[in-house]
Amino acid sequence: NVCLNYYIVNKTNNNEKIFIRINEIHYNPENGDDYEFIELYNESDINIDLSFYRITKDIEFTFPKGV
């Protein structure tokens, strides 16, 4: 497990900043790849639609519509 202070920053229609923190990365667990995950934490009081957001580089993932 790795703890990071890395943020995804977005803006609302009112130009307010929304911070989504990458809270935890569970990489290469001994139980196998099915147990890998990245935990995101929404620090705002606003629901955030992650549709089509992407994580790239060593991990390739695109959030499906409606997430």
Side-chain angles (χ1 to χ4, degrees):
N1 293 352
V2 177
C3 292
L4 302 173
N5 285 321
Y6 183 80
Y7 292 90
I8 302 166
V9 180
N10 200 352
K11 291 186 178 182
T12 66
N13 291 339
N14 298 331
N15 226 15
E16 299 173 277
K17 287 185 179 178
I18 297 172
F19 293 94
I20 303 169
R21 180 172 54 193
I22 297 176
N23 204 43
E24 184 177 359
I25 298 174
H26 192 65
Y27 176 76
N28 199 21
E30 64 182 52
N31 294 345
D33 290 348
D34 289 342
Y35 295 92
E36 290 183 336
F37 66 86
I38 295 176
E39 180 181 271
L40 302 178
Y41 178 73
N42 177 3
E43 293 190 348
S44 72
D45 294 331
I46 300 169
N47 290 331
I48 300 171
D49 181 4
L50 294 177
S51 297
F52 308 114
Y53 272 65
R54 293 179 36 195
I55 298 173
T56 60
K57 301 285 181 176
D58 294 329
I59 299 170
E60 296 290 331
F61 184 80
T62 301
F63 288 90
K65 184 177 180 179
V67 174

